[in-house]
């Protein structure tokens, strides 16, 4: 079975440019998460969607970050304009309905490694 | 407050040695879930195990085993007869019942030397 699919795997961009990261969750999962991983802060939850609706975006660092989930099989995380301090690994993850018997377990994608120069 | 502590920053072992990765957690909830994830050098985060707070049975999966002890708030992970492919960063995580938020530990980097 296909896992969480993210693209691009690696992105190098110049400061000020727009970056769009993409995610396809596991089929049947209705919870979707975007995480960011850095050496300094570890793994941070940026935003959580349930049934395509953003439930908690309190982890989004600032207005330069936005996330959408137009349908159950696709989500984007956009950074505009990008800055060097945004350099990190961005993970998309998904799970079954959180309150269901198979919930609570998050499956991560391979990550998008972003470098802003 | 919730907290996960992985006191071992980095461990190096020689192939075929057994190694235990420690995880200590704090929570006030009586219902919670504990997880282990593996992050190999290629970067992906791989789910290894989930354990709920009502199930203290130890679990074994091949060379991997997990020891959950509520009395000491620990959920330790042992790799038996380690292999070079086990080299990775291992994360322990906690999730209280009813919340989607994971509290991750800082990870333990395991290096298995040939």
């Amino acid at each position: 079975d296909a896992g969480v699919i993210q693209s691009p795997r690696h992105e190098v961009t110049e400061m000020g440019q727009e970056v769009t990261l993409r995610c396809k969750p596991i089929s049947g999962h209705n919870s979707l998460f975007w995480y960011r991983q850095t050496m300094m802060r570890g793994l941070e939850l940026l935003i959580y969607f349930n049934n395509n609706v953003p439930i908690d975006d309190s982890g989004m660092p600032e207005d330069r970050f936005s996330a959408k989930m137009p349908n159950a099989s696709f989500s984007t995380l956009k950074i505009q304009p990008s800055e060097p301090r945004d350099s990190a690994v961005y993970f998309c993850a998904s799970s079954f309905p959180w309150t269901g018997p198979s919930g609570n377990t998050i499956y991560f994608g391979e990550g998008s490694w972003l470098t802003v120069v | 407050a919730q907290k996960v502590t992985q006191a071992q920053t980095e461990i190096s072992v020689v192939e075929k040695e057994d190694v235990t990765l420690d995880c200590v957690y704090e929570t006030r909830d009586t219902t919670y879930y504990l997880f282990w994830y593996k992050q190999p050098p290629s970067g992906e985060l791989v789910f290894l195990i989930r354990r709920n707070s009502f199930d203290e049975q130890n679990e074994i999966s091949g060379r991997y085993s997990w020891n959950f002890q509520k009395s000491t708030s620990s959920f330790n992970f042992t790799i038996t007869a380690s292999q070079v492919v086990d080299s990775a960063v291992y994360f322990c995580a906690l999730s209280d019942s009813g919340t989607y938020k994971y509290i991750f530990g800082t990870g333990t980097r395991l290096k298995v030397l040939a």
Side-chain angles (χ1 to χ4, degrees):
Chain A
D1 289 339
V4 177
I5 299 172
Q6 292 187 244
S7 65
R9 286 296 315 279
H10 298 273
E11 174 97 3
V12 180
T13 190
E14 292 187 346
M15 183 173 63
Q17 296 297 305
E18 178 179 295
V19 173
T20 299
L21 308 178
R22 297 172 178 80
C23 174
K24 176 179 169 56
I26 294 172
S27 178
H29 285 190
N30 75 336
S31 295
L32 185 136
F33 308 82
W34 283 99
Y35 277 81
R36 179 172 68 175
Q37 184 181 34
T38 60
M39 288 294 293
M40 291 296 293
R41 300 171 70 93
L43 281 155
E44 304 173 273
L45 176 63
L46 299 179
I47 188 168
Y48 161 54
F49 289 88
N50 186 52
N51 289 325
N52 312 339
V53 175
I55 302 299
D56 182 358
D57 65 355
S58 60
M60 296 286 263
E62 48 197 278
D63 291 346
R64 298 185 296 105
F65 286 70
S66 62
K68 293 182 179 179
M69 192 165 185
N71 57 62
S73 58
F74 184 66
S75 176
T76 60
L77 177 68
K78 187 175 293 187
I79 308 172
Q80 165 64 18
S82 57
E83 296 182 4
R85 60 193 168 117
D86 302 330
S87 298
V89 184
Y90 292 83
F91 286 101
C92 179
S94 68
S95 77
F96 284 113
W98 200 252
T99 54
S102 298
N104 298 87
T105 300
I106 295 176
Y107 295 89
F108 288 82
E110 294 183 316
S112 291
W113 298 64
L114 174 64
T115 301
V116 183
V117 298
Chain B
Q2 298 172 296
K3 188 178 179 182
V4 174
T5 301
Q6 294 181 257
Q8 303 151 309
T9 305
E10 185 169 313
I11 302 175
S12 291
V13 298
V14 177
E15 211 170 16
K16 298 185 183 177
E17 284 186 9
D18 299 347
V19 59
T20 295
L21 310 181
D22 298 334
C23 173
V24 175
Y25 63 92
E26 294 177 31
T27 180
R28 276 179 270 186
D29 277 14
T30 55
T31 303
Y32 51 89
Y33 298 84
L34 296 163
F35 307 83
W36 277 94
Y37 286 84
K38 174 182 180 180
Q39 188 172 36
S42 49
E44 69 271 29
L45 274 164
V46 180
F47 166 73
L48 295 179
I49 190 171
R50 178 184 86 161
R51 172 68 76 222
N52 73 56
S53 54
F54 297 109
D55 183 2
E56 286 194 75
Q57 265 194 324
N58 291 333
E59 180 152 342
I60 298 174
S61 176
R63 297 183 297 106
Y64 293 174
S65 62
W66 290 269
N67 184 329
F68 176 31
Q69 291 196 332
K70 289 176 75 170
S71 60
T72 56
S73 297
S74 65
F75 186 42
N76 296 337
F77 174 29
T78 298
I79 302 174
T80 303
S82 59
Q83 300 176 1
V84 172
V85 293
D86 296 326
S87 297
V89 180
Y90 291 87
F91 291 93
C92 181
L94 164 70
S95 173
D96 283 345
S97 174
T99 178
Y100 47 84
K101 293 190 175 181
Y102 277 23
I103 304 299
F104 281 93
T106 51
T108 296
R109 181 177 300 276
L110 174 65
K111 292 184 177 179
V112 182
L113 308 172

